[in-house]
Amino acid sequence: MGFYNYNLTIDKILDYGSTVYGNKEIVYRDLRKYTFSSFRKNVESLASSLQKIGVKPGDKVAVVDWDTDVYMTAYYAVPMIGAVLHTVNIRYPPEVMLKTVIHAEDRWAIVRDEFVPLLEKGKSFLTNIKGVITYSDNKEKVKTSFSTFDFWELQNSGEEVKPVDVREDAQATIFYTSGTTGDPKGVWFTHRDLVLHSMSVALTTSKPPLKTSQDDVFMILVPMFHVHQWGFPYVTMLVGSNYVLPGRYDPAMEINLMKREKVTFSAMVPTILYMILSHPEAARNQDVFKGWKVMIGGSALPSGLAYMARKSGINIAVGYGMSETAPVLTVAYYTPEVEKLGEEERFLQQIKTGVPIPLAQVKVIDENGKEVPRDEKTVGEIVARAPWLTRSYYKDPERTEKLWKGDWLHTGDLAIVDKLGYIRIVDRDKDSIKSGGEFIPSLILEDIISNHPKVGEVAVVGVKDEKWGERPVAFVVPKGDVKEEELREYLIKHVNEGKLQKWWIPDKFIFVKEFPKTSTNKIDKKALRQTLSS
Amino acid sequence: MGFYNYNLTIDKILDYGSTVYGNKEIVYRDLRKYTFSSFRKNVESLASSLQKIGVKPGDKVAVVDWDTDVYMTAYYAVPMIGAVLHTVNIRYPPEVMLKTVIHAEDRWAIVRDEFVPLLEKGKSFLTNIKGVITYSDNKEKVKTSFSTFDFWELQNSGEEVKPVDVREDAQATIFYTSGTTGDPKGVWFTHRDLVLHSMSVALTTSKPPLKTSQDDVFMILVPMFHVHQWGFPYVTMLVGSNYVLPGRYDPAMEINLMKREKVTFSAMVPTILYMILSHPEAARNQDVFKGWKVMIGGSALPSGLAYMARKSGINIAVGYGMSETAPVLTVAYYTPEVEKLGEEERFLQQIKTGVPIPLAQVKVIDENGKEVPRDEKTVGEIVARAPWLTRSYYKDPERTEKLWKGDWLHTGDLAIVDKLGYIRIVDRDKDSIKSGGEFIPSLILEDIISNHPKVGEVAVVGVKDEKWGERPVAFVVPKGDVKEEELREYLIKHVNEGKLQKWWIPDKFIFVKEFPKTSTNKIDKKALRQTLSS
């Protein structure tokens, strides 16, 4: 009665999107298509069915799937009834994946047919699981040895959600992120976190140069298990853009899907962009990249790749964040000063780490907690505040203590700041190389090497050295025939131009055919280091 | 220690704006100019000085001023230290104004020189006031019989704000709004209300057709005492637009200020737009209106005026809300369906009441609480939810009870909905006319009459009638020579075209030179009705 205590819950976003943008579309490959308003009906049907089969507020619901419409329906339906969406990392080794499901104490699972065997293997450990909801694309029923429900049946029940009092501070999601050591850490977010993050990202991408609007078509090439696909399944409802889901990763298919659905905006890690642009299908379809707006995050963008993208007519803006930050903290959108620059200078700002998005507070601080000068030289750590950061690692107070110190979230990322206020990451703390007591910024090295015309991808890591403590080694995926001497000369040229220090030049260049990747498609530096020490 | 509990407080908006848009400007006429970052320093100096002179969290601080830089500084500095900004309606009769200051229990006042005598007159009643901060544009000190401080001195102290724990649910502002009967009602908002409202309005105005960005220059022609100038002093920090403050209302000065500062976006009530466009200075400066983006709110926009604006090249979008809703609930921005329409049809949508802005939930319901069909005929009441609505009228539970019923805020506004989902107000409940038991939508009548080439402004009110209960009477401000018969014939033509009912035609047309206006520049229908009954 009386005053309505409005909670910032996920259903509010869906209500807005389906009301104002009811005819916009969610497209799953060439298989299924929904308008926002029919999608909303599906979400509500699924939510009510989940209530009916016994899913209770606070219950964790694992989703084990590629990037599909089924997944997207769960993004809304699970939190809507107060349950918690666990977006399971399907690219973890089966044992690790299982561990996360056990650690999260998942009670239910929504599972695509091909992942059922995986679940069955772990059955003896999964004593918490009360029921499994399965589906296959061809809509045939998928049996399991668990208590099983058919997703399509639940989604088509057409029933109404029983009112449930979900508070904005209730947990909405959980997922796991790998650290340098130990088991993956559980990161979790509340409804409020996700709503505020979505509002801020929607406002940021409306700014130049991305300027996304209802005329855009989003296809996000970040797995749905990876920090809720950077929030875009929610953002799309606020912006009113069509939303294309690619299913399982496959560059050729994606290029053709882009073409068919007239995709205009994507987000991804650098590696995926590289794989798309260097795919044979790309050469045949250069027209689809013209004007494509791409937000890059997850790892620093090597400028070599950035120039390659630019040549294809792609409009890039880098974003930055981490699992713990929901994830976006900064985007390299245009401040007024940058907007006024010439095209080349503007481009160089767009591929930096960027400036804070609305409501985020991001600083680069020295050891005494003071902000570093805007001199593009002094290195500090990025620390952040925002109304959407994870409170703690799930059931892990020890590692939480290292994350939150003195009211700031410590990212462990090292960065410099330029005179226009743009942050640029120079290294992840855990990847940094200390040589003779001095710091070698591996990302700056990689950036320069990546610009060599015969270099495809590059990664610089530190290797133990008796004399210097550590020395840099460069791993290179060459484009064509390249010799170590060429790269060395190229770097010395940059030393002479004052762009790097001579003692930064790697002691060794190792040429490989491809890089080991993490489950979220970043270059796996840990694995590279291991090849050196073994 | 540890996790930072981020509160959605006003200072976060200022922090963002001054960080990313530090060089954007706040301009007060041709008198003073600040960058966002120097403005922030002023805000912090003022805030710390207020702390020093004894302003405590929870203290109410009245501001009695035109629309100035001083006012804008107070918008941030007062809430920042946990105090409450009372934006006093300076256009109330002195006695009513005084009543609001007493009712709000203001403890401090920031007063422009010319309003000091007004305050002195009420001195014997203002026993709560602990101190008065005065200023004059020429920076001379202004004495009062209260304990007096000089604004410029406080603002230039250069000291840092003492940390104060302001929670997002703390009250940030209060102001008074007039009802049909009784004393003005105190409406109040929390920090959180204002931050979320600002985020949503910023996102909305980024959408087509307004598409505001850092390239825009805002000049809001709504008094700063009127629902925090519709939130734009906060929105500007999120968008990064320059912000021009016009001081005291004067159409000729404003037109010249627009020209000098290259204003591109404004918001105002219809009457102000009419006064500007019909001012002789407008005819000489038609070029300044080309491409001017204008958000109209406060009253329904008569289409006659809308066409007049369009002829000058103005791009209009109507907004809707009320004091109790902070104020924005809907804006007539383009949904995808509307964006695809031809220019003329699109225009007709832009001048309706619009669709909900992000996070707002707005419905038009019948007496049983069910949404009316989208038939553009069935009239219902607009009810709303949003995370920024006033919880209650200050110290007035009785009238609060009529506002909040069954979890929805009841606006008392009557509206229809078209097939595209656009709401259109047809009457304010308190202004509605019942004739022979049937409802006559005064706003639709006004809309049609406003389109007659010889009509400047028009207002239709109900007058008691023995036979029918009530009958409509039209007040008209003519443009040139117009006869009642002409208007009657014109309306009969519209009856024949099926656009109105014959029995809606006013019984009487009364020609007047100008309309009485409310303190917020809306046509004062209450006063017009009184001229009939007296």
Side-chain angles (χ1 to χ4, degrees):
Chain A
M1 270 310 304
F3 174 67
Y4 175 70
N5 185 18
Y6 186 113
N7 278 269
L8 297 170
T9 47
I10 287 298
D11 56 299
K12 305 299 200 312
I13 289 180
L14 180 61
D15 183 46
Y16 174 72
S18 60
T19 300
V20 173
Y21 303 114
N23 296 322
K24 298 304 288 195
E25 288 177 340
I26 294 166
V27 178
Y28 169 54
R29 289 192 161 186
D30 54 356
L31 286 176
R32 293 183 290 272
K33 201 176 246 202
Y34 314 82
T35 63
F36 283 8
S37 56
S38 69
F39 173 74
R40 181 196 185 149
K41 276 190 200 113
N42 291 345
V43 168
E44 287 178 347
S45 281
L46 176 62
S48 77
S49 298
L50 292 176
Q51 287 177 323
K52 218 167 171 181
I53 66 172
V55 181
K56 298 264 174 302
D59 277 6
K60 297 211 178 66
V61 181
V63 182
V64 189
D65 196 358
W66 302 110
D67 303 340
T68 69
D69 53 335
V70 168
Y71 216 140
M72 184 130 166
T73 311
Y75 259 60
Y76 286 93
V78 172
M80 185 182 271
I81 57 169
V84 180
L85 181 80
H86 177 188
T87 50
V88 177
N89 186 330
I90 48 177
R91 303 202 49 217
Y92 275 153
E95 238 173 82
V96 178
M97 194 193 105
L98 205 62
K99 251 189 188 171
T100 66
V101 174
I102 294 164
H103 186 267
E105 300 162 84
D106 294 335
R107 304 211 140 203
W108 308 85
I110 299 173
V111 186
R112 185 179 170 90
D113 50 6
E114 65 198 274
F115 296 105
V116 166
L118 232 151
L119 212 71
E120 293 287 4
K121 262 192 217 154
K123 172 134 206 211
S124 56
F125 301 99
L126 296 173
T127 49
N128 267 319
I129 297 282
K130 286 186 162 180
V132 173
I133 297 127
T134 56
Y135 86 96
S136 66
D137 271 343
N138 62 21
K139 309 228 169 168
E140 269 171 33
K141 291 199 181 164
V142 187
K143 293 266 170 258
T144 80
S145 68
F146 296 86
S147 165
T148 310
F149 305 88
D150 181 60
F151 178 86
W152 302 117
E153 268 176 27
L154 299 191
Q155 194 206 252
N156 296 327
S157 73
E159 285 184 47
E160 277 182 27
V161 189
K162 261 184 286 170
V164 47
D165 184 23
V166 183
R167 297 280 144 162
E168 65 184 45
D169 284 329
Q171 188 180 345
T173 61
I174 187 170
F175 60 89
Y176 285 78
T177 177
S178 302
T180 30
T181 54
D183 290 333
K185 296 168 277 191
V187 171
W188 60 281
F189 295 97
T190 65
H191 282 262
R192 172 183 157 115
D193 292 337
L194 300 177
V195 171
L196 292 175
H197 178 264
S198 304
M199 286 292 286
S200 184
V201 172
L203 184 53
T204 304
T205 57
S206 315
K207 294 174 188 271
L210 296 173
K211 287 195 170 180
T212 56
S213 76
Q214 60 195 6
D215 299 330
D216 278 294
V217 177
F218 286 13
M219 181 166 78
I220 308 302
L221 299 177
V222 174
M224 293 188 89
F225 65 75
H226 186 208
V227 210
H228 353 93
Q229 203 165 46
W230 299 358
F232 287 107
Y234 301 125
V235 170
T236 194
M237 288 283 159
L238 295 173
V239 171
S241 52
N242 279 0
Y243 205 78
V244 180
L245 291 155
R248 184 175 182 162
Y249 182 70
D250 170 352
M253 181 277 297
E254 276 158 10
I255 291 169
N256 286 300
L257 195 54
M258 275 184 69
K259 197 169 164 178
R260 202 180 58 237
E261 296 297 333
K262 302 186 172 61
V263 169
T264 60
F265 174 81
S266 297
M268 66 199 76
V269 298
T271 316
I272 296 288
L273 182 60
Y274 179 75
M275 287 169 80
I276 288 178
L277 293 182
S278 56
H279 195 277
E281 199 66 15
R284 281 193 291 275
N285 288 287
Q286 277 296 313
D287 49 316
V288 304
F289 303 124
K290 285 244 156 32
W292 191 24
K293 298 180 272 189
V294 171
M295 189 170 133
I296 289 289
S299 312
L301 173 68
S303 58
L305 178 56
Y307 279 108
M308 182 177 168
R310 191 195 189 188
K311 234 196 261 167
S312 294
I314 297 173
N315 194 2
I316 281 195
V318 164
Y320 165 74
M322 53 201 285
S323 297
E324 291 81 347
T325 63
V328 188
L329 289 174
T330 69
V331 171
Y333 57 100
Y334 293 157
T335 60
E337 293 72 38
V338 168
E339 195 171 24
K340 274 182 229 124
L341 296 174
E343 210 223 319
E344 178 67 22
E345 285 167 295
R346 230 164 42 193
F347 173 73
L348 292 175
Q349 296 302 121
Q350 280 170 253
I351 64 175
K352 288 183 179 169
T353 306
V355 293
I357 67 172
L359 302 184
Q361 300 180 312
V362 183
K363 296 196 299 189
V364 180
I365 57 169
D366 64 21
E367 287 132 21
N368 304 315
K370 278 193 72 166
E371 285 192 66
V372 302
R374 294 184 167 190
D375 61 4
E376 246 180 314
K377 277 194 309 216
T378 316
V379 174
E381 185 185 6
I382 301 179
V383 298
R385 289 171 170 177
W388 54 74
L389 310 186
T390 194
R391 278 147 191 70
S392 63
Y393 294 120
Y394 187 58
K395 299 194 290 190
D396 192 345
E398 222 170 280
R399 289 195 285 186
T400 299
E401 234 173 71
K402 284 179 204 144
L403 183 68
W404 279 105
K405 282 180 288 192
D407 279 349
W408 289 87
L409 184 142
H410 285 247
T411 65
D413 289 327
L414 304 177
I416 52 180
V417 184
D418 70 18
K419 62 180 191 301
L420 294 167
Y422 281 59
I423 294 169
R424 181 179 173 196
I425 293 205
V426 293
D427 230 325
R428 302 240 159 190
D429 197 21
K430 59 187 186 210
D431 293 331
S432 74
I433 306 166
K434 277 246 170 148
S435 187
E438 297 276 343
F439 171 74
I440 296 179
S442 68
L443 295 183
I444 289 186
L445 264 175
E446 288 171 8
D447 193 53
I448 291 173
I449 301 171
S450 77
N451 264 305
H452 190 281
K454 290 186 185 165
V455 170
E457 285 181 289
V458 56
V460 175
V461 301
V463 61
K464 287 236 164 73
D465 183 274
E466 287 209 1
K467 187 167 172 198
W468 300 106
E470 267 185 324
R471 285 297 300 154
V473 168
F475 287 85
V476 172
V477 178
K479 274 198 295 205
D481 192 31
V482 61
K483 297 214 178 57
E484 176 160 342
E485 260 331 287
E486 278 177 78
L487 295 180
R488 239 175 241 295
E489 274 163 32
Y490 173 78
L491 287 177
I492 283 168
K493 205 185 87 207
H494 281 80
V495 170
N496 295 337
E497 286 167 5
K499 286 185 184 150
L500 52 85
Q501 307 280 346
K502 193 169 178 204
W503 56 275
W504 292 2
I505 296 180
D507 285 3
K508 222 169 146 182
F509 288 81
I510 300 173
F511 296 94
V512 295
K513 242 183 102 180
E514 62 177 343
F515 281 143
K517 299 277 157 69
T518 70
S519 64
T520 51
N521 285 310
K522 304 174 193 176
I523 295 172
D524 190 345
K525 286 196 171 182
K526 199 163 61 165
L528 287 176
R529 270 190 294 266
Q530 273 160 7
T531 65
L532 289 175
S533 59
S534 60
Chain B
M1 267 306 305
F3 173 67
Y4 175 70
N5 186 18
Y6 186 113
N7 278 269
L8 299 170
T9 46
I10 287 298
D11 55 299
K12 305 299 200 310
I13 288 180
L14 180 60
D15 183 45
Y16 174 72
S18 59
T19 300
V20 174
Y21 303 114
N23 297 322
K24 298 303 288 194
E25 288 177 340
I26 294 166
V27 178
Y28 168 54
R29 289 191 162 186
D30 53 357
L31 286 177
R32 292 183 290 271
K33 202 176 246 203
Y34 315 82
T35 63
F36 282 9
S37 56
S38 69
F39 173 73
R40 182 197 183 149
K41 277 191 201 111
N42 290 344
V43 167
E44 288 179 347
S45 281
L46 177 62
S48 76
S49 298
L50 292 176
Q51 288 178 322
K52 218 166 171 184
I53 65 171
V55 180
K56 298 263 174 303
D59 277 6
K60 298 212 179 67
V61 181
V63 182
V64 189
D65 196 357
W66 302 111
D67 302 342
T68 69
D69 53 336
V70 168
Y71 216 139
M72 184 131 166
T73 312
Y75 259 61
Y76 286 93
V78 172
M80 184 182 271
I81 57 169
V84 180
L85 181 80
H86 176 188
T87 50
V88 176
N89 186 330
I90 48 176
R91 301 199 53 216
Y92 275 153
E95 239 173 82
V96 178
M97 195 193 105
L98 204 63
K99 250 188 187 171
T100 66
V101 174
I102 295 165
H103 187 266
E105 300 161 83
D106 293 334
R107 304 209 140 204
W108 307 86
I110 299 173
V111 186
R112 184 179 170 90
D113 50 5
E114 65 199 273
F115 295 105
V116 167
L118 232 151
L119 212 71
E120 293 287 5
K121 259 192 218 155
K123 172 134 204 213
S124 57
F125 301 101
L126 297 173
T127 49
N128 268 318
I129 297 283
K130 286 185 162 182
V132 173
I133 297 127
T134 55
Y135 86 96
S136 65
D137 271 342
N138 62 19
K139 309 229 170 168
E140 270 171 32
K141 290 200 180 163
V142 186
K143 294 265 170 261
T144 80
S145 67
F146 297 85
S147 165
T148 310
F149 305 89
D150 180 60
F151 179 87
W152 303 117
E153 268 176 26
L154 299 191
Q155 193 206 255
N156 296 328
S157 74
E159 286 185 45
E160 276 183 30
V161 188
K162 262 185 284 172
V164 47
D165 184 23
V166 183
R167 297 280 144 163
E168 65 184 44
D169 285 330
Q171 188 180 344
T173 60
I174 186 169
F175 60 89
Y176 285 77
T177 177
S178 302
T180 29
T181 52
D183 289 333
K185 296 170 276 192
V187 170
W188 60 280
F189 295 97
T190 65
H191 281 262
R192 173 184 157 113
D193 293 337
L194 300 178
V195 170
L196 293 175
H197 178 264
S198 303
M199 287 291 286
S200 184
V201 171
L203 184 53
T204 305
T205 57
S206 314
K207 295 175 187 269
L210 295 174
K211 289 196 169 178
T212 55
S213 77
Q214 61 195 6
D215 299 330
D216 278 294
V217 178
F218 287 11
M219 180 166 79
I220 308 303
L221 300 177
V222 175
M224 292 188 90
F225 65 74
H226 187 207
V227 210
H228 353 94
Q229 203 166 43
W230 299 359
F232 286 106
Y234 301 126
V235 170
T236 194
M237 289 282 159
L238 295 172
V239 172
S241 53
N242 280 359
Y243 205 77
V244 181
L245 291 155
R248 184 175 182 163
Y249 182 71
D250 169 354
M253 182 277 297
E254 276 158 8
I255 292 169
N256 285 300
L257 194 55
M258 276 184 69
K259 198 168 164 178
R260 201 179 61 237
E261 296 296 332
K262 300 187 174 57
V263 169
T264 60
F265 174 80
S266 298
M268 65 198 78
V269 297
T271 315
I272 296 288
L273 182 61
Y274 179 75
M275 285 169 81
I276 289 178
L277 293 181
S278 57
H279 195 277
E281 199 67 13
R284 281 192 291 276
N285 289 285
Q286 276 297 310
D287 50 316
V288 305
F289 302 125
K290 285 244 154 35
W292 191 24
K293 299 182 271 190
V294 171
M295 189 171 133
I296 288 289
S299 313
L301 173 67
S303 59
L305 177 56
Y307 278 108
M308 183 176 167
R310 190 194 188 189
K311 234 196 261 167
S312 296
I314 298 173
N315 195 2
I316 281 194
V318 164
Y320 164 75
M322 53 202 285
S323 297
E324 292 81 348
T325 64
V328 187
L329 289 174
T330 69
V331 170
Y333 56 99
Y334 293 157
T335 61
E337 294 71 39
V338 168
E339 196 172 23
K340 274 182 229 126
L341 295 175
E343 208 224 319
E344 177 67 23
E345 284 167 295
R346 231 164 42 193
F347 172 73
L348 292 175
Q349 295 303 121
Q350 279 169 253
I351 64 174
K352 289 181 179 170
T353 306
V355 293
I357 67 173
L359 303 183
Q361 300 180 311
V362 183
K363 298 195 298 188
V364 180
I365 58 168
D366 64 20
E367 286 132 22
N368 305 314
K370 280 193 71 166
E371 285 191 66
V372 302
R374 293 184 167 191
D375 60 5
E376 248 182 312
K377 277 194 308 215
T378 316
V379 175
E381 184 185 6
I382 301 180
V383 297
R385 287 172 171 178
W388 54 73
L389 310 186
T390 195
R391 279 145 191 71
S392 63
Y393 293 119
Y394 188 59
K395 301 193 291 189
D396 192 346
E398 220 169 279
R399 290 194 284 187
T400 300
E401 234 172 70
K402 285 178 202 146
L403 182 70
W404 279 104
K405 283 180 288 192
D407 279 349
W408 290 87
L409 183 144
H410 286 247
T411 65
D413 289 326
L414 305 176
I416 53 180
V417 184
D418 70 19
K419 63 181 190 301
L420 294 168
Y422 280 59
I423 295 168
R424 180 179 174 197
I425 292 205
V426 292
D427 231 323
R428 303 241 157 186
D429 197 18
K430 59 188 183 207
D431 294 330
S432 74
I433 306 165
K434 277 247 171 146
S435 187
E438 298 277 342
F439 171 73
I440 296 178
S442 68
L443 296 182
I444 290 186
L445 262 175
E446 288 171 10
D447 193 52
I448 291 174
I449 299 171
S450 78
N451 266 305
H452 190 281
K454 290 185 184 164
V455 170
E457 286 182 289
V458 56
V460 175
V461 302
V463 61
K464 288 236 164 74
D465 183 274
E466 286 211 357
K467 188 169 173 196
W468 300 106
E470 267 185 321
R471 286 296 300 154
V473 168
F475 286 84
V476 172
V477 178
K479 275 200 292 205
D481 192 33
V482 61
K483 295 214 179 57
E484 175 159 344
E485 259 331 288
E486 278 178 76
L487 296 180
R488 239 175 238 296
E489 274 165 32
Y490 173 79
L491 288 177
I492 284 169
K493 205 184 88 206
H494 281 81
V495 170
N496 294 338
E497 284 165 6
K499 287 186 182 147
L500 54 85
Q501 307 280 346
K502 193 169 177 204
W503 55 276
W504 292 2
I505 296 179
D507 285 2
K508 220 168 144 181
F509 289 81
I510 300 174
F511 296 95
V512 294
K513 242 183 104 178
E514 62 177 344
F515 282 143
K517 300 276 158 68
T518 70
S519 64
T520 52
N521 284 311
K522 304 174 193 174
I523 295 171
D524 190 344
K525 284 197 172 182
K526 198 162 62 164
L528 286 177
R529 270 190 295 266
Q530 273 162 5
T531 65
L532 289 174
S533 59
S534 62

